[in-house]
Amino acid sequence: AERVLEICSLSDRFRSLPGELSHGMKVRLGVAQALIASPRLLLLDEPTAGLDPGMQMQFRELINEIRDNTTIVISSHDIGELEELCDYVCFIQNGTLVREETLGVLKKEVSRVSYLVDGDLPDYSVFASAFSNCDFSQPEQGRLEINFDPERYTLAHLNMRVITWLFESEALLLEVRPESSIARLFRGR
């Protein structure tokens, strides 16, 4: 008991009754109960639901501490939470597995930034050739979208290069909109 209470940051509440604990502490106590037998598999359903941001951060730290010794399966509608905690993601819709992939592969598919300029875009073909492994598209007049590999280019680096190119082309930049959430993949299903 002392071992799992230490893991779950509840050592100071060793003599407390469950009814005396906050909601977040009760969630951690539930994880402690599950860990007492040193399981190889831990199933969690919506583990951070109802937790305040501070408790969510503590819970993520807890999961990161135990993940080396325990396989953790998390069921959640909070895709941001999954991006924070998981290495591998499965999308289930109406009881059917529709997609499974490592988080790294999914992130490469969804890292996108969109630039909107006033009027027509300057010719970006020469500029685009300098960025191999990026997909450039122009979905509407004045908008340039770039899908990029976040392991190869950071958003800051890409923004610096694109904004400099637009400035040198005398284009008036109106908007920069990054999007790198795997939620976009699920919404598209």
Side-chain angles (χ1 to χ4, degrees):
E2 289 175 353
R3 174 185 63 86
V4 295
L5 290 175
E6 175 71 29
I7 290 170
C8 295
S9 302
L10 290 171
S11 295
D12 60 329
R13 303 307 297 248
F14 186 79
R15 299 266 180 230
S16 298
L17 296 174
E20 299 170 344
L21 302 176
S22 70
H23 175 70
M25 288 180 176
K26 287 178 184 174
V27 169
R28 292 198 323 249
L29 179 61
V31 173
Q33 288 173 317
L35 293 176
I36 199 131
S38 300
R40 292 178 29 187
L41 176 65
L42 179 62
L43 303 175
L44 301 172
D45 183 28
E46 303 283 350
T48 61
L51 296 182
D52 65 56
M55 286 288 186
Q56 287 179 0
M57 188 171 67
Q58 287 179 355
F59 185 81
R60 287 183 186 113
E61 290 169 1
L62 166 64
I63 294 300
N64 286 325
E65 284 180 36
I66 64 174
R67 70 187 314 154
D68 290 337
N69 300 318
T70 305
T71 298
I72 304 164
V73 176
I74 299 173
S75 171
S76 180
H77 292 88
D78 184 348
I79 293 181
E81 174 180 71
L82 298 176
E83 288 180 284
E84 292 273 333
L85 295 173
C86 299
D87 299 319
Y88 196 83
V89 179
C90 297
F91 291 112
I92 299 172
Q93 189 170 27
N94 298 324
T96 302
L97 178 66
V98 293
R99 176 90 189 261
E100 58 181 306
E101 195 62 72
T102 65
L103 188 62
V105 168
L106 292 175
K107 285 262 188 196
K108 286 179 185 178
E109 287 183 31
V110 298
S111 293
R112 177 174 67 189
V113 62
S114 173
Y115 304 90
L116 180 63
V117 299
D118 186 27
D120 291 328
L121 274 171
D123 178 21
Y124 59 88
S125 58
V126 174
F127 176 78
S129 66
F131 287 92
S132 60
N133 296 353
C134 288
D135 293 322
F136 287 72
S137 63
Q138 188 175 351
E140 61 186 80
Q141 181 182 352
R143 185 169 299 279
L144 175 64
E145 288 185 351
I146 305 172
N147 286 0
F148 64 97
D149 180 349
E151 292 179 3
R152 186 168 182 151
Y153 303 107
T154 65
L155 180 59
H157 176 227
L158 198 59
N159 276 339
M160 181 185 71
R161 296 280 303 271
V162 172
I163 292 170
T164 300
W165 164 71
L166 289 171
F167 178 75
E168 290 171 353
S169 301
E170 298 181 2
L172 176 61
L173 181 63
L174 301 175
E175 176 186 76
V176 177
R177 186 176 5 156
E179 183 176 357
S180 63
S181 171
I182 62 172
R184 194 174 90 200
L185 286 176
F186 194 66
R187 282 193 309 263
R189 297 217 171 267

